[in-house]
Each structure stands twice: as structure tokens, then as C-alpha cells.
Amino acid sequence: MNKDHVSNIREVAALAGVSTATVSRALQQPDKVRAETRKKVFDAVEKINFSPNAHARSFRQQSNQTVILLVRDIGNPFYLEIYKGVEEAASDAGYKVLMGDARNDETRVANYIEMVRQKQADGLILMTGHFPEEQAKRLDLLPPIVLASETVPGLDLPTVKVDNKTASKDAVRYLIDAGHRRIAHLAGPLPENLAADRFEGYRQALAEAGIDYNEDLVTSGDYSIEAGRHAVLGMLSKKSAFTAIFASSDQMAIGAISELRSHGLAVPDDVSVIGFDDIIFANAIEPPLTTVRQPRREMGRQAMALMVERLNGQKTNETIELKTELVIRGSVAPCAPGRSQT
Amino acid sequence: MNKDHVSNIREVAALAGVSTATVSRALQQPDKVRAETRKKVFDAVEKINFSPNAHARSFRQQSNQTVILLVRDIGNPFYLEIYKGVEEAASDAGYKVLMGDARNDETRVANYIEMVRQKQADGLILMTGHFPEEQAKRLDLLPPIVLASETVPGLDLPTVKVDNKTASKDAVRYLIDAGHRRIAHLAGPLPENLAADRFEGYRQALAEAGIDYNEDLVTSGDYSIEAGRHAVLGMLSKKSAFTAIFASSDQMAIGAISELRSHGLAVPDDVSVIGFDDIIFANAIEPPLTTVRQPRREMGRQAMALMVERLNGQKTNETIELKTELVIRGSVAPCAPGRSQT
DNA sequence: CTGAAAGCGCTAACAA
DNA sequence: TTGTTAGCGCTTTCAG
């Protein structure tokens, strides 16, 4: 046997003394073949170490049973649990999952869309806040797309998300109830929908409590640790006074805490902090982070479930809204009335 | 135009008044076609919104320009930077990267190998400590495989790694130099090579300092935060005395610190801790973690570089060894001689 | 239950 | 420079 030689279905057929059609059937729908014949085929397969060529298969079926999970930034552990959920549901439905990294870069998103357009994958689960406008116009030419966590203006697609505005409002109200009035917000990349919703929740909570909105206390960032650091540094150097921070990602919260600390400010004694997501590190740091938990595994599972519906030809444009939960840990302390330190 | 209709190369050819071969050429090697012809083709492509069918293409070429990065546990942020490095190099070489999660599960590894065997991907970058024995015997039937970070006994393949034994020895010696004698080790999943090398470094450092090895101070885990917690809990409940911990992953170190803290033990005042990897959180927690930095981005890039060589038919079995660096931060404190607390 | 044969869309010889 | 043509390996009718 030639070293570079790869066996194909014809060799199996020849060896088993049957037709290629029978080999194919024996492999794909074993019950459609007589037991005896099946055995002959399996023996031949075994003997020459045959495994069907996936390219040919995909080509023939015009499907490779693969779905792409495109995330904003693969460096954010937030997505890992999502991936696991997607992968579980996908695996159950006979699909594989490929994870792509948009790196906060619109042209990279466009590249992935193009991949999907060329049918490199059967579907796309999108977790970026972007979608190239040009391609958005011809959605009908694209394979199924499902949105998870994020939404895109003007893109009417099946979606799994949480009620960001309410979650955010509840978190800020918790801070207010603890006596805080000067509450900073580390927002996501405005004006994206996701960031805007959380920002809106923040503003509403303030408004309802009769607290004036102060734009110096809001910084937009890309959800990374670095963005959290940078936001705090900015506020500190502008001497903006605040006693609490509501961050729209745990990573930003963690970056913020780290930066505060390096300026001699303690959490929660000097500044209280609330994050968003409840990534695994949130509960492992000091102080354990009070944060808005998103049901990420479930979000992934549901997104893939919607995808499977789409893949099976159903055309619902359902939006599933999952519950969040404010997880109280140790990063928020009461604020004495009248206190005002940076 | 039918809604479900997908255009193909023949329609483009017809519209442009050329042959399908010319269309293919115009798209793949534009300079092999006269400018005028090219324009006709592009116009036609534009008009019917044609994009070549990737399945057909892969089938014809028996390649889909995709490489799988199979990791032990996608939940560990360690792999994210690796992915980025791989992705960069892959992108330069015209490849895409798919990330798979072995979930510490050998049968899942086997499934991925089977995918690769069926040529779902052109190559596999393996970051698990496992390789199914059966499939290891027929390596010649598999597409190119490159090992990164981890090695597998009996698998002689191109590899990118660090010198784990030395790195580990240096870290432990740093602890010894700080006065520690009762040093615990949170090992990886023994007896895997990676875990064993780091364990061996730990033992050697102890031996050279004349410190007796105490097996109660060694716990094997899967590199996760949970494993770190669990290891500390185990030692504490067995009343094993130790003043320092050398963990073989930052996640385990972070889990350990968290668990220590919940038992009223402070880091580094009561227990010093060193991690391994230098994930992004290592520098964001309190205290900032002293750890062995692995050049992860570079590791990913080099792994993909080796992969490209393989893909291009070169058959080197090179092992590249990258440098680590002990990053001194705040999680190690001197240990007074004679002190002995848990 | 099995075989013959067509053909998925594209690319690469080869010929012109 | 362009066209003709022959498949790549598999699945799936359709006959038998």
C-alpha cells in the first residue's frame, strides 16, 4: 500500500465485492443493508482503514454540519461558557462548532460573513455588535444567522439575550440603596445596542433616584481589563469624584479594581464596584465581585437551538430573553451619607 | 431570480460570455486573464451576486485551508493568547483556525482526530496531553499534526514547548531562596508529560536544597480554578503544614489563593504563591501573582509556522523550545527561618 | 436488497 | 489568453 495513498469507497466496494452504493448505504444507513452484506463491507473498511472523505461528503450534501460562533473578542472568558453551551446543543444535533475571533474589527467580521456566504459553514452565531451594512442588505443570500447576547440595529434575526436595561438598572439601584450617589459607569462600546441598553438602565436608575447625570462619570470601553484600567485612570486624573462603579463587564470591573488599588484606593472601602457577566474569576478575586450573572451556558444552548430550527427550515424570528441575577458578593459597601471622596 | 436559487460558475460564464475555466481563473489568478475579460467576469459576478461554492472548492482541492486547534479545556484563558498567535500566523499563510475543546476527555480527542482523519481540516495543532493509542499507530494516515505546549509519550511530532522542568525548578528555587522549606506543589494531571516535567523540576529544586520530598504536599489537578481550591482544601483538612505553593497554572494558583483566603490565610503573609502561565488575570488580582510567563502568542505563532512547513510537504520533526520568564510580582514573601504554620 | 449511473461545482490538464 | 474536457468521492435516484 502506497504511503500517500488514501483509500476510497471504490476500493472498499471492490474488496467487499459490492457496489459503491452499497458501501455508502452500509455506512450511512446500516439497516438498509442485509446483515451479511454489511459485515463484508465493514470488514473491507477495517482492512484498508477506510474513512469517508469529508470534502466529498460536504460537497455532495452541500453541508458540513458546522456552525461558526463569531465573538467580539476571544480573549474575554465570557465567551467560553457560551461556547460550551453552543457546543453541547450542537453536538446533540450532530453539528460541530468553530469559534472565530472578530477582534473588535469590522473587516474581520466581514471576512467571516464571507466565509459563511461561501457556505464554509452551515450557520453563524453572531456575538459582535456589528454587521457589515452591505451584507446586511442581502440576508436572504446568507445561511442562517442567529444573534446571541448582542443585537444589531436593523438586523431582524432570531436572538437570545438578556434584558440588559433592567439588569443594569437593578444593579445601579442596588448601589443607590447602599447610599451611593456618585456612581461611575464603565460602558461598553457606545453606541452599540448592548452598551446603549446598559447605559440606559444606568441613567434610568439615576433619574428615578433623583440623581443628576454626570457625563464625566461615564467612559466607553471594549469590555477588556485594559479598558477598565483606562477608564479609572481617566476619571482619577480628571479628579471626578465617585464612590461606586458599575462596569458593564467583569473584566472591566477587575481592571478598574486593579487600577484603583494601584492608586491606593481600596474596594469596597473606598470605592464599591459591580460587574457584569459573572465570569469564573469574579468569585475568585479579592474582594469577590458583586456582579450581574448572565446564564451563559444556557444562552449558548438556546442560541444553538434557534440555529437548529433555522437549519431545519423553520423561519421564526423569535427573540428569547433569559433571566439575569444580581449576585451579591463582597465588592459593594454602604456609603455614608454626605461622604465625598474620590 | 428564484429566492432559494444559488448561482454557480456556469451562470457567470454564460453571462460573461466566457468559459467556466476562465471564470475560475479570473477569480483565482486574476493576472492570468486579460483585463478586459476579467472585467466582464467581475461584472457578471457582481450582477448575479455569485460567490464560489466552498464545498466544491474544498472537494476539488482536497483542502479547506483550515487548521484545528485542539485544546485541553477551552475554559482556560491560557489558550486564548495561543489561539491569537496561531490565528495570526494562519491568517498570513491563508489558513483559517477552528478551535476545539477536548474537555479533558479522551473520547472527545478521538472524535476530533477522526474529523481530521476524514480531512475536515488540513491539520491539527494538539494541546492536550492525550492521543488515542489506536490512532497513534497510524500517524501516516493522518494529516499533519503539531504539538504545542504539551507532548505525548511515544508521539514523535513537530513540537513547540517551553523547558518546563527548568522553569519549574527556577520558580521553586525562588521560593527556597525566600526561606521557604515547606513548599506545596499543585501539579497538573499526572502522569502526563507536561505535569511530570514540572513536578520533576519541583523535586529537583527541593533535592538540591536538601529538602525532603513530602508527598502530602503534592496534589494533581486539571489546571482549573476549582482544582486549585480543591487541592488547598485537601491539604488544609489533612493539616499538612506549608508556607508556600507552587502551582502549575495561574488558574490553580488563583483558586488556591481564594481558598486560602476563605480559611483566613493571607497571601503572601501566611502563604506565598507562584503560578504558571501569566494569564491576563495574574496581574489584575490582589496580590498580583508572581508567575512563570510562557510566551503564548509566540508559541501559537511558531506552532502554526511548523504546521505550514508540514502542510507544504516538509517532514522535519523539529522541537522548538521557547524561553520562559519568572515574573516577580507580589504573591511571594520571605519566610522567617524556623517558622512553621499551615 | 442491491447495482448502475448521473451528477453536485469547481479546477487543472491539455489543446487550440 | 482562452476553451474543452475530465474528473475529484460520494450519495441518490431509478431499475432490477
Side-chain angles (χ1 to χ4, degrees):
Chain A
M1 201 165 80
N2 184 326
K3 218 176 163 186
D4 281 352
H5 175 78
V6 179
S7 51
N8 64 26
I9 201 171
R10 259 176 285 114
E11 292 177 36
V12 179
L15 198 59
V18 299
S19 73
T20 60
T22 299
V23 175
S24 178
R25 274 188 290 252
L27 263 23
Q28 306 308 326
Q29 317 152 53
D31 31 321
K32 292 237 182 275
V33 158
R34 190 150 44 100
E36 196 186 330
T37 316
R38 207 186 310 143
K39 184 173 181 335
K40 281 194 294 185
V41 171
F42 285 162
D43 287 350
V45 163
E46 182 86 358
K47 182 152 181 207
I48 65 174
N49 208 294
F50 168 77
S51 93
N53 182 307
H55 292 306
R57 193 142 206 277
S58 303
F59 173 47
R60 180 57 227 245
Q61 322 255 23
Q62 287 300 303
S63 150
N64 55 9
Q65 300 292 108
T66 300
V67 158
I68 294 179
L69 174 65
L70 184 57
V71 303
R72 171 189 292 282
D73 170 19
I74 203 175
N76 188 339
F78 169 69
Y79 296 108
L80 302 179
E81 279 293 311
I82 302 262
Y83 172 90
K84 290 190 179 182
V86 171
E87 217 273 345
E88 279 170 17
S91 183
D92 289 349
Y95 284 85
K96 280 151 298 191
V97 183
L98 189 159
M99 190 156 168
D101 183 9
R103 289 195 214 154
N104 285 309
D105 175 352
E106 175 127 8
T107 69
R108 284 183 57 89
V109 175
N111 288 346
Y112 276 101
I113 306 283
E114 184 56 27
M115 267 178 73
V116 175
R117 182 158 169 257
Q118 295 182 5
K119 305 264 186 321
Q120 289 247 10
D122 296 351
L124 178 70
I125 298 179
L126 200 69
M127 302 195 71
T128 67
H130 298 281
F131 198 97
E133 268 194 50
E134 176 135 1
Q135 289 159 321
K137 285 180 206 147
R138 306 300 321 256
L139 240 33
D140 53 322
L141 295 176
L142 261 32
I145 298 177
V146 168
L147 266 28
S149 172
E150 315 230 14
T151 57
V152 181
L155 259 199
D156 189 24
L157 291 168
T159 304
V160 184
K161 60 189 280 292
V162 298
D163 182 347
N164 289 291
K165 204 193 297 182
T166 304
S168 170
K169 201 166 153 182
D170 291 348
V172 175
R173 193 178 301 128
Y174 178 75
L175 253 10
I176 294 172
D177 289 348
H180 296 276
R181 316 258 319 158
R182 301 180 154 277
I183 301 171
H185 178 42
L186 311 193
L190 294 165
E192 291 179 10
N193 284 355
L194 178 63
D197 285 349
R198 292 183 189 166
F199 178 42
E200 181 58 23
Y202 162 79
R203 293 194 61 159
Q204 282 188 13
L206 292 187
E208 289 177 11
I211 301 173
D212 282 345
Y213 165 67
N214 175 355
E215 69 171 7
D216 286 349
L217 293 182
V218 175
T219 315
S220 181
D222 65 2
Y223 302 111
S224 67
I225 291 183
E226 218 28 72
R229 283 213 171 90
H230 183 258
V232 165
L233 189 58
M235 295 192 297
L236 255 26
S237 60
K238 277 191 294 182
K239 312 254 187 241
S240 315
F242 57 93
T243 65
I245 293 177
F246 169 55
S248 47
S249 80
D250 285 348
Q251 287 207 126
M252 288 208 281
I254 290 171
I257 292 173
S258 171
E259 188 69 26
L260 286 168
R261 199 132 46 194
S262 74
H263 290 268
L265 265 13
V267 175
D269 298 338
D270 296 320
V271 180
S272 289
V273 176
I274 292 188
F276 209 111
D277 293 345
D278 195 22
I279 62 176
I280 187 155
F281 291 93
N283 195 27
I285 62 167
E286 181 60 25
L289 191 65
T290 293
T291 187
V292 179
R293 174 181 296 155
Q294 301 204 58
R296 293 173 291 154
R297 193 88 156 230
E298 185 61 15
M299 193 181 274
R301 246 193 305 249
Q302 298 270 13
M304 188 62 206
L306 286 180
M307 176 57 73
V308 170
E309 278 182 22
R310 271 284 171 125
L311 257 7
N312 292 340
Q314 286 154 59
K315 282 269 175 181
T316 61
N317 254 10
E318 206 176 340
T319 286
I320 297 178
E321 204 152 87
L322 265 24
K323 289 243 178 306
T324 57
E325 178 195 357
L326 183 64
V327 183
I328 312 288
R329 292 201 268 248
S331 59
V332 174
C335 178
R339 166 186 156 213
S340 95
Q341 113 285 312
T342 286
Chain B
M1 202 164 79
N2 185 324
K3 215 176 165 187
D4 280 352
H5 175 80
V6 178
S7 51
N8 64 27
I9 202 171
R10 259 176 286 114
E11 293 178 34
V12 178
L15 197 61
V18 298
S19 73
T20 59
T22 299
V23 175
S24 177
R25 272 189 293 252
L27 262 24
Q28 306 308 325
Q29 315 152 54
D31 31 323
K32 292 239 182 276
V33 157
R34 191 149 44 99
E36 196 184 330
T37 315
R38 208 186 310 143
K39 183 173 180 335
K40 282 193 293 185
V41 172
F42 287 162
D43 287 349
V45 164
E46 181 85 359
K47 182 153 182 207
I48 64 174
N49 208 293
F50 168 76
S51 93
N53 182 308
H55 292 306
R57 189 144 208 276
S58 302
F59 173 48
R60 179 58 228 243
Q61 321 253 18
Q62 287 297 305
S63 149
N64 55 8
Q65 298 292 108
T66 299
V67 157
I68 294 179
L69 175 65
L70 183 57
V71 304
R72 171 189 292 283
D73 170 18
I74 203 175
N76 189 339
F78 169 69
Y79 296 108
L80 302 179
E81 279 292 310
I82 303 262
Y83 172 90
K84 290 189 179 183
V86 170
E87 216 274 346
E88 279 170 17
S91 182
D92 289 348
Y95 284 85
K96 280 150 300 194
V97 182
L98 189 159
M99 191 156 166
D101 183 9
R103 289 196 215 152
N104 285 309
D105 175 352
E106 174 126 8
T107 69
R108 284 184 57 90
V109 175
N111 287 346
Y112 276 101
I113 306 283
E114 184 57 25
M115 266 179 73
V116 175
R117 183 157 168 257
Q118 294 183 5
K119 305 265 186 319
Q120 288 248 9
D122 296 351
L124 178 70
I125 299 179
L126 200 69
M127 302 195 72
T128 68
H130 298 281
F131 198 96
E133 267 196 50
E134 177 136 0
Q135 287 159 321
K137 285 180 205 147
R138 307 299 323 254
L139 276 185
D140 54 321
L141 295 177
L142 260 34
I145 298 177
V146 168
L147 266 29
S149 173
E150 315 230 16
T151 58
V152 181
L155 260 200
D156 190 23
L157 291 168
T159 304
V160 184
K161 61 189 281 292
V162 299
D163 182 346
N164 289 291
K165 204 193 297 181
T166 305
S168 170
K169 201 166 153 183
D170 290 349
V172 175
R173 193 179 300 128
Y174 178 75
L175 253 11
I176 293 172
D177 289 348
H180 297 274
R181 316 258 320 156
R182 301 180 154 278
I183 301 171
H185 178 42
L186 311 193
L190 293 166
E192 291 178 11
N193 283 354
L194 179 63
D197 284 350
R198 291 184 189 165
F199 178 42
E200 181 59 22
Y202 162 79
R203 294 195 60 159
Q204 281 188 13
L206 255 36
E208 287 178 12
I211 300 173
D212 283 345
Y213 165 68
N214 175 355
E215 70 172 7
D216 286 348
L217 293 183
V218 175
T219 315
S220 182
D222 65 3
Y223 301 112
S224 67
I225 291 183
E226 218 30 70
R229 283 215 171 89
H230 183 258
V232 165
L233 189 58
M235 293 193 296
L236 254 27
S237 60
K238 277 190 295 181
K239 312 256 186 238
S240 315
F242 57 94
T243 65
I245 293 178
F246 168 55
S248 46
S249 79
D250 285 348
Q251 288 207 126
M252 288 208 281
I254 290 171
I257 293 173
S258 172
E259 188 68 26
L260 286 169
R261 200 132 45 194
S262 73
H263 290 268
L265 265 11
V267 175
D269 297 339
D270 297 319
V271 179
S272 290
V273 176
I274 292 188
F276 209 110
D277 293 344
D278 196 23
I279 61 176
I280 187 155
F281 291 93
N283 195 28
I285 62 167
E286 179 62 26
L289 191 65
T290 293
T291 188
V292 179
R293 173 182 297 156
Q294 300 205 58
R296 292 174 292 154
R297 193 87 157 230
E298 185 61 15
M299 194 181 273
R301 245 192 307 249
Q302 297 270 13
M304 187 62 206
L306 286 181
M307 176 57 73
V308 170
E309 278 183 22
R310 271 284 172 125
L311 257 8
N312 292 339
Q314 286 153 58
K315 283 269 174 182
T316 61
N317 254 11
E318 207 176 339
T319 287
I320 297 178
E321 204 152 88
L322 266 24
K323 290 244 178 305
T324 58
E325 178 195 357
L326 183 63
V327 183
I328 312 287
R329 292 200 269 249
S331 60
V332 173
C335 178
R339 165 185 157 212
S340 95
Q341 113 285 312
T342 286

